[in-house]
Amino acid sequence: MLQPGDKAPDFDLPTDTGRVSLSGLKGKNIVLYFYPKDDTAGCTSEALQFSSEVEEFQKLGAVIVGVSKDSVASHAKFRAKHDLTIELAADPLGDVVEAYGAWVEKSMYGRKYMGVDRSTFLIDREGVIREVWRKVKVPGHIKAVMNAAKAIK
C-alpha cells in the first residue's frame, strides 16, 4: 500500500487529448485521482469540483489527472457533456489502478466484487507521494487536496 514518502509508480496513459505520464509532468505537482466510472453521480460531482478549482491548482503549479478504467471515447463524452477542464486518462487494463492500490474488493448488497476505490494521490515535483486519500467522500475532498497542495508549493 503506497504511503506518503514513497516514489510514485510511473504511468503513461492515453487521454482524449493525447497522452499523460509521470515523467512528462516532472517539475509539476500532480493531483492523481482514481474514480470508478464516467458520468455517474459521485464521479461527476468530483470531476466538476476539481474542474471548478483547476485554475487555483494551476497557480500552485499542480495539474489534475483523473484515472478510470473507462475508454478514451467515454472520457471524451464525459468531458464534453459536463464541460470538464481536467485531464482524464484511460486505464482499461487497470495496470495503473492496481499499481496505486486503487483496485479493491467491494461489497454491495452482500455481493463481493472488484472495483476502483475512489482515491487521490498528491505527488510532488520530484515524483514523491506527499498525501494519500482513500475511500474518498466527495464533499470537502477538493478543499482538503487544495490545502495539501498549498503546503508543498
Side-chain angles (χ1 to χ4, degrees):
M1 194 69 72
L2 293 172
Q3 300 293 326
D6 290 346
K7 192 80 169 150
D10 197 15
F11 61 87
D12 183 357
L13 295 170
T15 72
D16 63 320
T17 60
R19 295 192 73 80
V20 64
S21 67
L22 182 64
S23 59
L25 295 172
K26 189 168 176 120
K28 297 180 186 225
N29 294 322
I30 306 164
V31 175
L32 185 67
Y33 81 95
F34 295 89
Y35 65 98
K37 188 96 178 116
D38 286 345
D39 215 15
T40 56
C43 299
T44 300
S45 176
E46 186 175 29
L48 286 169
Q49 288 181 42
F50 271 128
S51 285
S52 73
E53 297 295 340
V54 77
E55 288 181 11
E56 288 301 312
F57 279 101
Q58 287 172 343
K59 288 177 188 174
L60 299 171
V63 296
I64 302 166
V65 179
V67 178
S68 80
K69 293 182 75 172
D70 291 312
S71 68
V72 169
S74 175
H75 287 340
K77 288 179 194 169
F78 184 41
R79 279 173 36 102
K81 180 177 178 180
H82 298 286
D83 294 320
L84 301 176
T85 57
I86 56 175
E87 198 76 59
L88 298 177
D91 185 20
L93 299 177
D95 295 336
V96 177
V97 172
E98 286 190 42
Y100 278 82
W103 188 247
V104 300
E105 185 177 86
K106 294 180 163 190
S107 179
M108 184 182 296
Y109 306 117
R111 187 182 129 256
K112 294 195 182 296
Y113 63 98
M114 296 300 289
V116 176
D117 173 37
R118 188 182 312 281
S119 49
T120 303
F121 296 80
L122 179 60
I123 303 167
D124 71 15
R125 290 170 173 81
E126 301 302 315
V128 175
I129 296 171
R130 298 293 294 267
E131 291 286 340
V132 177
W133 295 266
R134 298 199 182 271
K135 297 188 185 323
V136 167
K137 303 292 183 220
V138 177
H141 178 60
I142 282 65
K143 186 169 181 65
V145 175
M146 177 78 70
N147 289 338
K150 285 177 182 174
I152 65 169
K153 186 181 188 256

